[in-house]
Amino acid sequence: MPVWKVCGGNALEGSAVVQGAKNAVLPILAASIVGGGVSCLDNCPKLLDVDASLEILHYLGCSVMQNRGKILIDSGGMSRNHIPHALMMKMRSSVMFMGAILARCGEVRLSAPGGCELGSRPIDLHLKALHELGAEIEESGGEVCCRASKLKGTHINLDFPSVGATENVMLAACAAEGTTVLTNAAREPEIVDLQNFLNAKGAKIHGAGTAEIHITGFSPRSVTEHAVLPDRIAAATYLCAAASAGGDVRLERVVPAHLNTVTDVLRSMGCEVAEGEREVRLRRSGRLNAARPVVTKPYPGFPTDAQALLMSACLKAGGTSVFVENIFENRFRHVSELRRLGADIRVEGRVAMVSGVAKLTGAPVSACDLRGGAALVIAGLAAENVTEVIDTGHVERGYERFAQTLSALGADVQRCEATSDTE
Ligand code: UD1
């Protein structure tokens, strides 16, 4: 079990290259089976969640090769259309294989993803949309089975712009006859990346990035090349780390526009943020001001994934910062751990109020989810003495070379294995 040992007090200085996006590569890996053929992906981060997806692809009968940032998938030998519980449980995003296997095989059986550390995370919107495309859905024994002799394009309106449901519809609709029009679709940049990959594979999709997406068929190509988009949440993590620790950090290989909601708040707190074509630089000296109210919303609103990260950057800011979490019911679990460092945070339902303190002191804390774990490391950068973040593997689900990246910027962060002292 990893433990992140953070010795606070160092300002961050220098440059870092941002990894490829976890939330883009996972649906793209699922999409690699749609229409068969070979997919060559570049800029893939090395993450536990990526390993879990590759394990699923291998189980389904695909051959998979991974070398540094490149992944090659040959889905020609795909021979299975179900995913066992043990593989599904490894990560939430495996639900994306539902639309992809349905498109490829006309039938898919997998165990329902169930709850996770962020709350119940239902898939009713995914199932309703697949049913509207013509799939019969059966749920029994903890498994979901979707079957369709023929999928038919139709108009689907999502009750909420769910990222996962939008992606599942795009995947399944590639195999549908006629046009599918998806309205109230999620608009996240990762949806645009999925559209770009599927179109490179031979799909005809347009509208991703807006609330209305049209999918009008598929003419398979034998080989597809695609470079995964940069990870806006990893970039937000390093920006919040620099805001928390102070210093001058330049992030390379980012899309600055994808970070606007985060950089706007950081600017309002007193950070200097400058954007280049593919880079962002953040400088912070002196005490930060409290953030203006942060309300998580579907893109282009403030990302739920950055809520905990920004909260950590606010712990010593002057005044009170208010956070409203609208996406997930259970996304303040980092708060009790931040309090152990001396943070002053009050939670009432979906609202957290952070009153800036003069000092944080390192303590042993536990990572409760991926972004919550990263947030604890960020808080540790601004704390006196040592903060030990005991983690059951959450952070490595989403960050490549996390400790090395922070250390290269001057932070004193080490990844250790838990000993009996820390357990
Ligand atoms: C969410 C985030 C996404 C982030 C990802 C990883 C939003 C809108 N989505 O995507 O930006 O990258 O987590 O942390 O911020 N829901 C249902 N029924 C469904 C599907 C979803 O009720 O069938 C609800 C969820 O419980 C949740 C909300 O809709 O409250 C957002 O879900 P969704 O966008 O699907 O989540 P992810 O795809 O996991």
Side-chain angles (χ1 to χ4, degrees):
M1 172 162 74
V3 175
W4 308 93
K5 264 194 191 161
V6 187
C7 190
N10 295 2
L12 304 191
E13 305 277 344
S15 310
V17 175
V18 174
Q19 68 189 51
K22 165 175 110 53
N23 292 338
V25 73
L26 299 179
I28 286 173
L29 287 170
S32 69
I33 62 177
V34 175
V38 173
S39 302
C40 310
L41 305 177
D42 201 358
N43 201 33
C44 301
K46 179 89 186 89
L47 307 171
L48 292 182
D49 274 9
V50 168
D51 294 344
S53 294
L54 298 185
E55 239 183 284
I56 291 175
L57 287 167
H58 184 71
Y59 176 82
L60 295 174
C62 303
S63 65
V64 175
M65 276 193 299
Q66 187 178 21
N67 184 13
R68 299 190 177 195
K70 294 191 196 299
I71 296 178
L72 188 142
I73 305 120
D74 182 349
S75 71
M78 189 169 153
S79 54
R80 289 187 168 126
N81 63 5
H82 75 278
I83 305 177
H85 185 60
L87 287 179
M88 280 301 287
M89 266 180 26
K90 291 199 172 175
M91 92 181 148
R92 161 83 193 172
S93 300
S94 47
V95 74
M96 233 55 72
F97 279 92
M98 192 157 60
I101 299 176
L102 183 65
R104 173 75 183 260
C105 307
E107 180 168 341
V108 51
R109 192 161 48 82
L110 38 77
S111 74
C116 74
E117 61 275 6
L118 301 182
S120 64
R121 296 185 90 168
I123 57 164
D124 54 315
L125 300 174
H126 304 232
L127 297 179
K128 183 166 171 262
L130 296 180
H131 181 65
E132 284 169 4
L133 278 174
E136 277 172 47
I137 316 275
E138 252 178 61
E139 292 178 74
S140 70
E143 282 200 328
V144 183
C145 180
C146 305
R147 208 177 281 124
S149 50
K150 197 188 274 176
L151 292 166
K152 263 186 88 77
T154 185
H155 175 210
I156 298 170
N157 184 63
L158 294 178
D159 294 336
F160 179 87
S162 152
V163 175
T166 300
E167 291 168 340
N168 256 328
V169 170
M170 288 166 76
L171 292 163
C174 283
E177 235 179 58
T179 300
T180 301
V181 179
L182 179 63
T183 52
N184 201 26
R187 292 186 276 164
E188 268 73 356
E190 294 76 20
I191 308 269
V192 179
D193 211 32
L194 178 63
Q195 168 179 281
N196 293 343
F197 173 70
L198 284 168
N199 282 347
K201 266 180 97 50
K204 295 178 192 70
I205 307 178
H206 71 268
T210 75
E212 184 169 318
I213 302 178
H214 293 237
I215 305 115
T216 52
F218 199 88
S219 339
R221 302 204 182 122
S222 50
V223 180
T224 307
E225 291 186 14
H226 182 78
V228 173
L229 144 124
D231 195 317
R232 63 195 167 97
I233 305 299
T237 305
Y238 297 118
L239 292 177
C240 290
S244 171
D248 183 352
V249 164
R250 193 161 63 94
L251 299 181
E252 296 169 19
R253 214 189 284 162
V254 296
V255 181
H258 294 169
L259 290 162
N260 279 348
T261 47
V262 176
T263 46
D264 283 355
V265 180
L266 289 168
R267 273 195 190 102
S268 75
M269 292 170 68
C271 297
E272 267 180 69
V273 183
E275 290 163 10
E277 204 184 321
R278 299 274 290 165
E279 64 175 48
V280 176
R281 179 173 177 188
L282 182 141
R283 273 179 285 190
R284 196 279 272 175
S285 53
R287 192 176 187 197
L288 291 171
N289 314 311
R292 55 171 199 232
V294 172
V295 182
T296 65
K297 291 189 184 143
Y299 193 86
F302 191 92
T304 176
D305 278 352
Q307 176 257 110
L309 308 167
L310 185 69
M311 190 181 291
S312 283
C314 292
L315 300 178
K316 287 165 71 179
T320 300
S321 307
V322 177
F323 291 79
V324 182
E325 173 56 56
N326 278 323
I327 307 295
F328 291 112
E329 71 216 42
N330 207 1
R331 213 160 191 182
F332 283 143
R333 299 204 315 169
H334 47 283
V335 166
S336 56
E337 301 305 294
L338 292 173
R339 285 191 192 121
R340 291 164 66 85
L341 305 181
D344 179 355
I345 310 174
R346 207 150 48 90
V347 174
E348 280 171 28
R350 290 181 171 274
V351 181
M353 276 154 290
V354 181
S355 302
V357 291
K359 179 174 121 164
L360 297 168
T361 310
V365 289
S366 300
C368 29
D369 58 63
L370 161 57
R371 305 304 169 186
L376 294 174
V377 173
I378 291 175
L381 297 174
E384 288 177 9
N385 306 329
V386 177
T387 299
E388 279 189 359
V389 182
I390 299 157
D391 185 6
T392 48
H394 295 295
V395 169
E396 287 171 334
R397 284 186 37 228
Y399 293 94
E400 181 176 65
R401 298 168 53 80
F402 190 50
Q404 290 96 321
T405 305
L406 288 168
S407 301
L409 294 172
D412 186 346
V413 178
Q414 287 173 46
R415 180 198 185 283
C416 312
E417 282 300 324
T419 62
S420 48
D421 287 351
T422 43
E423 272 173 328

